[in-house]
Structures are given as structure tokens and as C-alpha cells.
Amino acid sequence: MKFFVDTANIDEIREADSWGIVDGVTTNPTLVAREGREFEPTIKEICDLMGDRPVSAEVISLDAEGMLTEARNLATWADNIVVKIPMIKEGMKAVKVLAQQGIKTNVTLVFTAGQALIAAKAGATYCSPFLGRIEDMATEAITVVKQMVDIYCAYGFDTQVIVSSVRRPEHVVQSACWGAHVATVPFKVLDQLFNHPLTDRGIEGFLADWENLQKELGK
Ligand code: E4P
């Protein structure tokens, strides 16, 4: 399973990448706005940091022609750009054209397996179901991921599922259990995935026992 970091914060990306487990980055307009910097230099810097690993950057237009203009421009910024397109009819028109032109896409704001099926038929490279936001509606969410993986496998779609709107480590584990190709994980949740109190307690115990042995041996 691939891990993408869901952030536009350069320090977070650098830190997470130093852990050796980052396969790409996703951003959205909210995440970019949170950094208070211009869009283009922010995305270019992230693309540079990631090398050949994919970086999703989202279009703002809501009509296919506008999305195509933005997407083609984004694609000139770096070879590893993935253009994020919302799950609307105009968006799927744009995805179809971009797929034919070899520009990678990530269909975003997906909440049902039906939407995911449409995204795959349009030729999306990635499709992003929003787990946390589904749960915010007091609705069970992980079934959508299972349905998406089942449908893509059954019909041999190349589209990869990026589980998005991840709020806690359990979302990543559940997504892995259902065979999602990617989880895009906020920095805080990625950090939490490492932690367990018994790991900390185990290290303390091992080090204390080692120190005691050194003392017994007169070292
Ligand atoms: C990533 O592709 C999505 O834009 C992001 O995961 C949304 O997360 P949120 O629901 O926490 O805003």
C-alpha cells in the first residue's frame, strides 16, 4: 500500500519523507490556502522534493474547458504532477480528454462507489473517496472503499483508489485491509501510526535492563 502525505506544508513533507515511507503528496485548495503562499511556487517546490513521486494539485474551474486549460498548465510545472478534478460531469469530460493526452488525474470529492465507477470509466488515474467526510454525516464509510476496490478489480480498471479525508490511524488500517492502493494521510495521523505505549514501555525496559547489566559487570 502506498502512503501519500495530505499536506501542502513543506516542513511536514520533508519530515515525513525523512521517515522513508512517503510515496507521494496530495494537496487541495484548502491545504494550499492554509500555507498562505502562492499556489505555483508551493506546488513546484513540493514536486521538486518528491522527485518522480506523484503530487496532486487541484483545478478551480467548474467547466471542462477551464479545467483543461488549468490542467495543461499544471502539467508543464513538473513531470510528477497529477491534476485533481472534482467528481462532476464537466470534470469527467475533462478527465476523458486528459487521459487521452497522457495527463494523470485524481478524481476528488468522491463519496459513492457509483461515482468511483464513473471516474474509472472516464479514465482517471486515481480516485479519492473521502472517508472522514462520509463519517461526518454519521454514515459508515469503509464499505465504499471495499466496493471501489471490488469493482476496479472485477473489471480490470487501472484506476487506483486513494483513500482520502483520513482522520485517524484506524482509517489507514481499514483501507489496507480492503486493498486500497493508496492512503493519503495528514502529517499528524502519519505520526500517530508509529506510536504505541507498549513500544515506548518496551524500549524503556530494555534500556534499563541493559544499564543494570553494565553496572553488575562493573562497566
Ligand atoms: C485529499 O485528497 C483530500 O482533499 C483531503 O484528504 C480532504 O481531507 P478533509 O476531509 O480532512 O478536508
Side-chain angles (χ1 to χ4, degrees), residues 6 26-31 34 56 58 84 106 108-109 128-130 132-133 136 162-167 184-186:
D6 196 23
T26 53
T27 67
N28 62 36
T30 303
L31 292 171
R34 202 173 281 165
S56 290
E58 193 157 339
K84 228 169 162 186
N106 173 359
T108 188
L109 293 163
S128 295
F130 274 40
R133 292 196 196 188
D136 290 345
I162 305 182
V163 176
S164 305
S165 192
V166 165
R167 302 276 164 79
T184 189
V185 188

Side-chain angles (χ1 to χ4, degrees), residues 17-29:
D17 198 26
S18 75
W19 303 335
I21 53 166
V22 171
D23 301 297
V25 170
T26 53
T27 67
N28 62 36

Side-chain angles (χ1 to χ4, degrees), residues 181-199:
H181 307 85
V182 187
T184 189
V185 188
F187 179 82
K188 191 179 116 196
V189 179
L190 204 53
D191 188 53
Q192 287 169 343
L193 267 168
F194 280 85
N195 300 332
H196 195 283
L198 289 180
T199 305

Side-chain angles (χ1 to χ4, degrees), residues 2-87:
K2 289 177 198 154
F3 282 176
F4 292 174
V5 203
D6 196 23
T7 182
N9 183 286
I10 300 294
D11 292 337
E12 288 185 350
I13 294 167
R14 274 189 209 281
E15 173 69 11
D17 198 26
S18 75
W19 303 335
I21 53 166
V22 171
D23 301 297
V25 170
T26 53
T27 67
N28 62 36
T30 303
L31 292 171
V32 173
R34 202 173 281 165
E35 299 309 309
R37 295 177 60 200
E38 289 290 335
F39 182 49
E40 183 170 340
T42 305
I43 296 299
K44 282 184 171 170
E45 192 173 351
I46 296 171
C47 285
D48 199 38
L49 278 175
M50 283 294 99
D52 58 0
R53 293 168 284 177
V55 175
S56 290
E58 193 157 339
V59 298
I60 301 302
S61 302
L62 293 177
D63 62 296
E65 273 315 310
M67 289 181 197
L68 285 169
T69 304
E70 282 188 65
R72 289 178 186 127
N73 182 41
L74 282 169
T76 65
W77 291 1
D79 290 341
N80 52 338
I81 279 278
V82 175
V83 181
K84 228 169 162 186
I85 307 259
M87 166 33 81

